[in-house]
Amino acid sequence: MRIMLSLLSLMAMLLLGACNSGPDPVTLNTVKTGTPALWKVTGTQPGQVGTAYMFGTIHILPDDVQWRTPALEAAIAGSDQLVIEVLGLDDPQSASRIFARLAVSPGQEKLDARIKPSLRDDLNRIIDASNLPERSLNRMETWAAALSLASAQTKGLGLDSSGGVEKKLTAQFAKAGKTIEALETIENQLGYFDKLPEEQQRRMLTSVVEESNDSQQAFEKLFNAWMTGDIDQIVTLTDTGILNDATTREFLLVTRNRDWADQLDKRLRRPGTSLVAVGAAHLAGTDAVQAMLAERGYKVEKIQ
């Protein structure tokens, strides 16, 4: 489920930020200094005149980790604009209203009726630990309840989004007076989950419950893979998780990546240099955004 939060920046930021202050951070077995993956994309065909640096991010960070490197700082300095997944998170009330409008629907079954009986005791334990009202969860569509519970589990590790990569990069580009744009709106980012068939939504809920005792180790694996630029491990974590389901993968990863590649292709046909900072899972494997750009004739170099 940590992969799901890495795919959806809004849920990681909005839901973690919306929780009341959580417990003190636990001791995590995580890398303190690293080299997250970074690519340079340039054109090879007429009209492909722009440049993009593609930086895979993670949306929540432990304290006291050094993820900045000389290569990344050079890419930041050389970029005219920052492109992130979604804008508008500086207005949490508006974001919460959009989430509530999409997440809550009448006539929902009780949440424990949407999961197999053998997992209901575990579900109740997770709900109790989350401090989320059961009545509210019962009114949510399954995807929203699943992600709310997954976010609460991450919050239980003492992590929040206040120092996330996107926020730090956004502040840096804003201070420099550089343009900041987004690939998605809050509504269409949440909409990818909202459009999932109910079967896939219930698989997500099952995944959250089944992985509930392993949330710390799962986060450590994902974070360490990101921090060390281990793309093969990110692919492994993705392929063995909920995205192993072909329908879920198409909705939440491939369709979004294809749309982003379309948008970036248009940007790269204009002069200028962009730093594109999106969740690391979007830049891993055969369905990666930069792989889709390579299919369109762009040169892709892994520079870190």
PDB file of all heavy atoms in Angstrom, residues 14 16-17 27 32 42 79 83 155 181 202 207 228 276 292 300:
ATOM      1  N   LEU A  14      -2.643  15.404   1.646  1.00  0.00           N
ATOM      2  CA  LEU A  14      -3.905  15.860   2.202  1.00  0.00           C
ATOM      3  C   LEU A  14      -4.311  15.071   3.429  1.00  0.00           C
ATOM      4  O   LEU A  14      -4.623  15.633   4.480  1.00  0.00           O
ATOM      5  CB  LEU A  14      -5.002  15.772   1.131  1.00  0.00           C
ATOM      6  CG  LEU A  14      -6.428  16.070   1.565  1.00  0.00           C
ATOM      7  CD1 LEU A  14      -6.534  17.489   2.095  1.00  0.00           C
ATOM      8  CD2 LEU A  14      -7.395  15.855   0.419  1.00  0.00           C
ATOM      9  N   LEU A  16      -2.521  12.827   5.318  1.00  0.00           N
ATOM     10  CA  LEU A  16      -1.569  12.863   6.417  1.00  0.00           C
ATOM     11  C   LEU A  16      -1.601  14.215   7.101  1.00  0.00           C
ATOM     12  O   LEU A  16      -1.555  14.328   8.320  1.00  0.00           O
ATOM     13  CB  LEU A  16      -0.161  12.563   5.921  1.00  0.00           C
ATOM     14  CG  LEU A  16       0.108  11.108   5.539  1.00  0.00           C
ATOM     15  CD1 LEU A  16       1.478  10.981   4.895  1.00  0.00           C
ATOM     16  CD2 LEU A  16      -0.002  10.201   6.735  1.00  0.00           C
ATOM     17  N   GLY A  17      -1.692  15.260   6.315  1.00  0.00           N
ATOM     18  CA  GLY A  17      -1.732  16.593   6.894  1.00  0.00           C
ATOM     19  C   GLY A  17      -3.006  16.858   7.660  1.00  0.00           C
ATOM     20  O   GLY A  17      -3.048  17.666   8.572  1.00  0.00           O
ATOM     21  N   THR A  27      11.751   4.574  15.357  1.00  0.00           N
ATOM     22  CA  THR A  27      13.096   4.424  14.826  1.00  0.00           C
ATOM     23  C   THR A  27      13.027   3.623  13.544  1.00  0.00           C
ATOM     24  O   THR A  27      12.648   2.445  13.541  1.00  0.00           O
ATOM     25  CB  THR A  27      14.003   3.704  15.848  1.00  0.00           C
ATOM     26  OG1 THR A  27      14.045   4.477  17.065  1.00  0.00           O
ATOM     27  CG2 THR A  27      15.418   3.568  15.294  1.00  0.00           C
ATOM     28  N   LYS A  32      20.317   7.390   5.347  1.00  0.00           N
ATOM     29  CA  LYS A  32      20.342   8.809   5.702  1.00  0.00           C
ATOM     30  C   LYS A  32      20.861   9.697   4.580  1.00  0.00           C
ATOM     31  O   LYS A  32      20.511  10.876   4.506  1.00  0.00           O
ATOM     32  CB  LYS A  32      21.198   9.014   6.953  1.00  0.00           C
ATOM     33  CG  LYS A  32      20.690   8.280   8.184  1.00  0.00           C
ATOM     34  CD  LYS A  32      19.280   8.715   8.554  1.00  0.00           C
ATOM     35  CE  LYS A  32      18.784   8.002   9.810  1.00  0.00           C
ATOM     36  NZ  LYS A  32      17.361   8.337  10.097  1.00  0.00           N
ATOM     37  N   THR A  42      16.198  14.969 -23.669  1.00  0.00           N
ATOM     38  CA  THR A  42      16.419  15.962 -24.715  1.00  0.00           C
ATOM     39  C   THR A  42      15.903  15.421 -26.039  1.00  0.00           C
ATOM     40  O   THR A  42      15.775  14.212 -26.227  1.00  0.00           O
ATOM     41  CB  THR A  42      17.916  16.314 -24.860  1.00  0.00           C
ATOM     42  OG1 THR A  42      18.666  15.095 -25.013  1.00  0.00           O
ATOM     43  CG2 THR A  42      18.431  17.061 -23.642  1.00  0.00           C
ATOM     44  N   SER A  79      17.060  24.862 -14.470  1.00  0.00           N
ATOM     45  CA  SER A  79      15.667  24.732 -14.914  1.00  0.00           C
ATOM     46  C   SER A  79      14.925  26.060 -14.800  1.00  0.00           C
ATOM     47  O   SER A  79      15.072  26.785 -13.812  1.00  0.00           O
ATOM     48  CB  SER A  79      14.941  23.661 -14.085  1.00  0.00           C
ATOM     49  OG  SER A  79      15.508  22.380 -14.309  1.00  0.00           O
ATOM     50  N   VAL A  83       7.777  21.335 -12.620  1.00  0.00           N
ATOM     51  CA  VAL A  83       6.525  20.663 -12.954  1.00  0.00           C
ATOM     52  C   VAL A  83       6.315  19.551 -11.935  1.00  0.00           C
ATOM     53  O   VAL A  83       7.134  18.640 -11.823  1.00  0.00           O
ATOM     54  CB  VAL A  83       6.557  20.078 -14.379  1.00  0.00           C
ATOM     55  CG1 VAL A  83       5.231  19.383 -14.691  1.00  0.00           C
ATOM     56  CG2 VAL A  83       6.846  21.170 -15.403  1.00  0.00           C
ATOM     57  N   LYS A 155       0.912   7.711   9.158  1.00  0.00           N
ATOM     58  CA  LYS A 155       0.958   8.733  10.207  1.00  0.00           C
ATOM     59  C   LYS A 155       1.375   8.105  11.535  1.00  0.00           C
ATOM     60  O   LYS A 155       2.067   8.734  12.341  1.00  0.00           O
ATOM     61  CB  LYS A 155      -0.409   9.396  10.343  1.00  0.00           C
ATOM     62  CG  LYS A 155      -0.449  10.581  11.300  1.00  0.00           C
ATOM     63  CD  LYS A 155       0.234  11.797  10.729  1.00  0.00           C
ATOM     64  CE  LYS A 155       0.057  13.006  11.649  1.00  0.00           C
ATOM     65  NZ  LYS A 155       0.719  14.219  11.111  1.00  0.00           N
ATOM     66  N   GLU A 181       4.277  24.624 -12.337  1.00  0.00           N
ATOM     67  CA  GLU A 181       3.087  24.103 -13.002  1.00  0.00           C
ATOM     68  C   GLU A 181       2.818  22.677 -12.528  1.00  0.00           C
ATOM     69  O   GLU A 181       3.655  22.067 -11.859  1.00  0.00           O
ATOM     70  CB  GLU A 181       3.261  24.139 -14.526  1.00  0.00           C
ATOM     71  CG  GLU A 181       3.438  25.551 -15.074  1.00  0.00           C
ATOM     72  CD  GLU A 181       3.545  25.589 -16.582  1.00  0.00           C
ATOM     73  OE1 GLU A 181       3.549  24.499 -17.212  1.00  0.00           O
ATOM     74  OE2 GLU A 181       3.612  26.701 -17.145  1.00  0.00           O
ATOM     75  N   ARG A 202     -12.040  -2.842  -3.632  1.00  0.00           N
ATOM     76  CA  ARG A 202     -12.074  -3.779  -2.501  1.00  0.00           C
ATOM     77  C   ARG A 202     -10.747  -4.529  -2.372  1.00  0.00           C
ATOM     78  O   ARG A 202     -10.346  -4.877  -1.253  1.00  0.00           O
ATOM     79  CB  ARG A 202     -13.259  -4.736  -2.642  1.00  0.00           C
ATOM     80  CG  ARG A 202     -14.587  -3.993  -2.542  1.00  0.00           C
ATOM     81  CD  ARG A 202     -15.784  -4.891  -2.403  1.00  0.00           C
ATOM     82  NE  ARG A 202     -17.005  -4.083  -2.320  1.00  0.00           N
ATOM     83  CZ  ARG A 202     -18.161  -4.498  -1.818  1.00  0.00           C
ATOM     84  NH1 ARG A 202     -18.264  -5.723  -1.321  1.00  0.00           N
ATOM     85  NH2 ARG A 202     -19.207  -3.696  -1.789  1.00  0.00           N
ATOM     86  N   SER A 207      -5.766  -5.160   0.689  1.00  0.00           N
ATOM     87  CA  SER A 207      -4.316  -4.973   0.765  1.00  0.00           C
ATOM     88  C   SER A 207      -3.930  -4.157   1.992  1.00  0.00           C
ATOM     89  O   SER A 207      -2.960  -4.478   2.689  1.00  0.00           O
ATOM     90  CB  SER A 207      -3.826  -4.284  -0.513  1.00  0.00           C
ATOM     91  OG  SER A 207      -2.458  -3.980  -0.440  1.00  0.00           O
ATOM     92  N   THR A 228      18.307   5.345  -2.604  1.00  0.00           N
ATOM     93  CA  THR A 228      19.507   4.812  -3.254  1.00  0.00           C
ATOM     94  C   THR A 228      19.378   4.768  -4.775  1.00  0.00           C
ATOM     95  O   THR A 228      20.285   4.279  -5.459  1.00  0.00           O
ATOM     96  CB  THR A 228      19.825   3.403  -2.727  1.00  0.00           C
ATOM     97  OG1 THR A 228      18.711   2.545  -2.976  1.00  0.00           O
ATOM     98  CG2 THR A 228      20.130   3.430  -1.239  1.00  0.00           C
ATOM     99  N   VAL A 276      11.009  18.075 -13.686  1.00  0.00           N
ATOM    100  CA  VAL A 276       9.749  17.362 -13.512  1.00  0.00           C
ATOM    101  C   VAL A 276       9.902  16.447 -12.305  1.00  0.00           C
ATOM    102  O   VAL A 276      10.684  15.491 -12.342  1.00  0.00           O
ATOM    103  CB  VAL A 276       9.391  16.553 -14.769  1.00  0.00           C
ATOM    104  CG1 VAL A 276       8.050  15.843 -14.590  1.00  0.00           C
ATOM    105  CG2 VAL A 276       9.359  17.466 -16.000  1.00  0.00           C
ATOM    106  N   MET A 292       8.147   6.283 -22.155  1.00  0.00           N
ATOM    107  CA  MET A 292       7.165   6.683 -23.161  1.00  0.00           C
ATOM    108  C   MET A 292       7.695   7.839 -24.012  1.00  0.00           C
ATOM    109  O   MET A 292       7.419   7.915 -25.216  1.00  0.00           O
ATOM    110  CB  MET A 292       5.855   7.077 -22.475  1.00  0.00           C
ATOM    111  CG  MET A 292       5.143   5.924 -21.791  1.00  0.00           C
ATOM    112  SD  MET A 292       3.592   6.441 -20.996  1.00  0.00           S
ATOM    113  CE  MET A 292       3.006   4.880 -20.329  1.00  0.00           C
ATOM    114  N   VAL A 300      16.985   9.822 -23.597  1.00  0.00           N
ATOM    115  CA  VAL A 300      16.834   9.753 -22.147  1.00  0.00           C
ATOM    116  C   VAL A 300      18.147   9.260 -21.550  1.00  0.00           C
ATOM    117  O   VAL A 300      18.600   8.158 -21.868  1.00  0.00           O
ATOM    118  CB  VAL A 300      15.683   8.812 -21.746  1.00  0.00           C
ATOM    119  CG1 VAL A 300      15.588   8.711 -20.225  1.00  0.00           C
ATOM    120  CG2 VAL A 300      14.359   9.292 -22.348  1.00  0.00           C
TER     121      VAL A 300
END
